[in-house]
Amino acid sequence: MAIENPGQPVYSDIELDAREGAIVESFFAEHQTAIPDPADWIGAPPLPDNILLTTVDKVINWSRHYSLWPVTFGLACCAIEMMCTAASRFDIARFGMEVFRASPRQADLMIIAGTLTWKMAPWLKRIYDQMPEPKWVLAMGACGTSGGIFKGSYSVVPGFNKVVPIDVYVPGCPPRPEALLQAIMEIHNKIEKMSPTRKASGV
Amino acid sequence: MKDLGFIEIAIRIRERFGDGIAAADDKRLIIEPPRLAEIAAFLRDDPELNLDYLSSVTAIDHKTDFTLIYRLYSLSQNHRLTMRVPVADRVSPAVPSVTPIWRGADLQEREVFDLFGIEFSGHPNLKRLFLWEGFPGYPLRKDWVSRGP
């Protein structure tokens, strides 16, 4: 049986381009102000003196921070340092996070490594939204904090906090793997201070 | 690799295509845009010149006008040539495309179109390359003002 010619595609190339352009332009218009860094975990009131809850919290936090799986998100030169961190010399596997997931649904941490352009930003936001809670975001490099050397450019997002809330910023252009490891350990510290049972019970 | 003499090439082009279409001194070869596609085909097909490889197409904004720069190589004759094409009209600049002659000009002409807004008439697929549809203006022009924060 002959395969039927599908004929004209539903959308022409230029229609797809125009649709993409409309998405990017509306995203640009909506994301001009910085999203504040999540800080509600700092100075949270102490838990009710409940030995069960505090113990469960500790266990959950311990298990979370020793298997923090990052989603693959290398955008530019910082990604090379991120790969180097994952390779044998610096060995991110010591922290139980050598599994860079290709799917956001299996990841807890997003290491945004590199220069983010407005054309890419809607899809970064989509991948962030697809990650299950709890999730953490690590902005790697000067582009992540402010746009870096591309600040003021026509196409580069000046700081990732315009798009997603950022937990830890790593300065450097690009940062050394030691700096990335330090930032990952800061995320570990942050996880240890969270109280997942409080969140679940809504106290 | 030998550089072709600009003045000799200009003389050859003038002999074939008429006066006023090419000018040269010892530093540059300037070709007027109206018959650019024919001249490009001549440069490629002439057995002595045989400039069969287009290395790059780029543009300069002089604030009042543009200049396109084409860098040509001949892989068989082992020589090269750089030619300039002035584009005087700033409101709706247009030049003939050389993509039918050198296929490699495709993406480079799209890049110039994207960032400078120079239209290449005869290009088979002239649309934005790096930026998205609906981006306002042409960012590598000197009078472009950045938007956003």
Side-chain angles (χ1 to χ4, degrees), chain A residues 17 21 24-25 32 119 152 154, chain B residues 127 130 132-133 139 146-147 149:
Chain A
D17 285 353
V24 175
E25 278 296 308
Q32 287 303 308
K119 206 173 178 180
Y154 50 85
Chain B
K127 58 181 187 179
F130 295 128
W132 49 95
E133 292 296 325
S146 183
R147 58 178 188 158

Side-chain angles (χ1 to χ4, degrees), chain B residues 4-147:
Chain B
L4 286 172
F6 297 127
I7 297 172
E8 294 86 62
I9 302 293
I11 290 169
R12 290 199 60 176
I13 291 173
R14 276 204 295 266
E15 278 172 6
R16 196 180 166 97
F17 295 94
D19 282 344
I21 205 117
D25 58 16
D26 56 345
K27 294 202 174 53
R28 59 190 74 84
L29 167 66
I30 295 170
I31 293 177
E32 293 300 322
R35 298 179 72 185
L36 178 64
E38 293 166 61
I39 293 169
F42 164 70
L43 292 175
R44 185 192 62 180
D45 295 335
D46 186 85
E48 274 179 43
L49 299 175
N50 196 18
L51 293 157
D52 50 6
Y53 175 60
L54 178 70
S55 170
S56 77
V57 180
T58 186
I60 303 173
D61 186 357
H62 298 296
K63 292 193 175 176
T64 53
D65 59 326
F66 300 102
T67 301
L68 291 168
I69 296 178
Y70 296 75
R71 309 197 69 216
L72 304 166
Y73 287 81
S74 172
L75 301 179
S76 57
Q77 305 288 327
N78 201 28
H79 57 213
R80 64 187 171 191
L81 176 70
T82 305
M83 64 178 186
R84 289 168 170 248
V85 177
V87 187
D89 185 3
R90 198 180 173 81
V91 181
S92 57
V95 290
S97 171
V98 296
T99 304
I101 292 125
W102 294 289
R103 197 69 183 80
D106 183 354
L107 292 177
Q108 309 223 357
E109 288 184 343
R110 278 179 65 189
E111 182 180 351
V112 171
F113 169 73
D114 189 359
L115 302 175
F116 284 93
I118 298 172
E119 195 167 321
F120 290 89
S121 42
H123 192 286
N125 183 27
L126 193 65
K127 58 181 187 179
R128 282 190 179 270
L129 178 63
F130 295 128
L131 298 171
W132 49 95
E133 292 296 325
F135 184 88
Y138 304 103
L140 288 195
R141 286 191 181 185
K142 293 289 182 195
D143 55 2
W144 195 82
V145 181
S146 183
R147 58 178 188 158

Side-chain angles (χ1 to χ4, degrees), chain A residues 7 18 22 24 52 54 64 74 79 90-91 98 102 104 121 123 131 157 160 164 168 199:
Chain A
V24 175
L52 177 68
T54 50
R64 271 181 185 169
F90 296 96
D91 198 12
E98 73 277 13
W123 285 271
M131 285 165 63
V157 178
F160 299 159
V164 289
V168 176
K199 199 160 198 177

Side-chain angles (χ1 to χ4, degrees), chain A residues 146-157:
Chain A
S146 67
I149 57 169
F150 304 109
K151 185 173 170 63
S153 163
Y154 50 85
S155 60
V156 174
V157 178

